[in-house]
Amino acid sequence: MSTYFPQVTQPIAYEGPKSKSPLAFKWYDASRVIAGKTMAEHFRFAVAFWHTFKGTGADMFGPAAWVRDWNCGSPLEAAGHALRANFEFTQKLGAPFYCFHDRDIAPEGATFAESCKNLEAIVAQAKELQKETGIKLLWGTANCFSNPRYTHGAGTNPDLNVFAYAVAQVKHAMEATYELGGENYVFWGGREGYETLLNTDYPQEQEQFARFLQLAVEHKKKIGFKGQFLIEPKPKEPTKHQYDFDTATVLGFLRAHGLYEDFKINIEANHATLAGHTFEHELTVASAEGKLGSIDANQGDYLLGWDTDQFPSDLYSTTAAMLVVLQQAGGIGCGGFNFDAKCRRGSNDALDLFYAHIGGMDAFARGLVVADRLIQEKALSGFVAERYSSWKSPLGEKILAGKASSDELDAYVRTQAEPTVKSGRQELLEIIRNEYLLA
Ligand code: XLS
Ligand code: NI
Ligand code: NI
């Protein structure tokens, strides 16, 4: 079998924190058990097909800059090469999953029918390669934003013909995901939003968007696809105002349109920071309702105002994320950690793809180890429990059960002294967190 990564001759192994090898894991030890599950089970890491095999290093100021061995031949041949490169890479890396958009694994044809045919041909090849390698599909999705037809949106397009096109495209992408045993299906609303209200009928677009998602739910039931549907919030980019702004907005939208039971949330770290939140804020909001379904593991740059999609390396952030995931019943469930991340334009060597993924997996594994110790030793949670302890009193329970009135609390306040304000101890808690991170 030909190889696209001849520099990597054997699977990436765990060598431990003392290893100096750049092609080894220092923290990610797939079979190590933490809190009753192996690391492999906690993370269910996935490689993002679009960045890793279709990324070219292009940016707003310059065209494709990377030479990739798999980028050759006719569009369909190139698709086959990229697909085989994906399975070789993912297997050598030791990640159990991959994720794709329909149009990154198969080229768009001259007509819709031809695009569907291309997708079917590639799905047949992917099915064989999945069988050969044991690598599975974490999620599939439809790219309803790159082609110029989607300039004014897909489900929220003012033109019914584009809406219909997007519905049909999603139908086929969902069927491809089902055919490949995908465990989830993602909706990211690229261009579901607006540039200016001067030309936008907001209530009409909201109604269309709900209908768009309802049609997908109906088709899912019709074909018997059991995968989890996920919505991935993002506040802006490509449009100035994206409708799936953040987790709270999406959950409200789902509730309002009878879609709440059918979806969970896929949280991307860089989208959280674009929304003016932290990654852990978004994870916490989703998890509070049992809706944290999957994670797009990347990170942004606080000095840049766009979705830079960098590989995760910030240990504070991965630790905070793992605190949330570990405390969610069942962890990430049938979701996983997908590296929706790309190398910088200057990291132009195919080997950089390995370093990037190894670094990301290690950053999360280390976050998991630290988060688990923080939880086991109640290093932070003990303080939090104490901070809310007054709510455990009979009156606290009565209020939360909805059995106390404003009159009753008025009378109660008159029997009490002025409340004393206790320290929130933020700086102390930050010291404790650092001690665990460095240990
Ligand atoms: C773009 C999104 C996209 C989704 C899948 O910002 O992150 O890559 O994850 O369509
Ligand atoms: Ni994403
Ligand atoms: Ni993104």
Side-chain angles (χ1 to χ4, degrees), residues 48 50-51 100-101 104 139-145 186-190 232-234 236-238 266 268 270-271 274 296 298 307 309 338 340-341:
W50 52 103
H51 286 311
F100 64 70
H101 297 85
D104 20 272
W139 52 260
T141 188
N143 176 334
C144 295
F145 44 88
V186 164
F187 294 82
W188 169 61
E232 181 178 323
K234 186 174 183 181
K236 55 188 163 195
E237 196 198 314
N266 182 39
E268 177 166 319
N270 202 165
H271 297 180
L274 279 181
D296 268 12
N298 64 8
D307 199 13
D309 284 342
N338 164 51
D340 193 353

Side-chain angles (χ1 to χ4, degrees), residues 76-93:
L76 260 181
E77 281 163 5
H81 283 299
L83 197 68
R84 288 188 292 280
N86 167 58
F87 284 94
E88 182 190 339
F89 177 85
T90 308
Q91 198 172 37
K92 284 183 172 170
L93 179 67

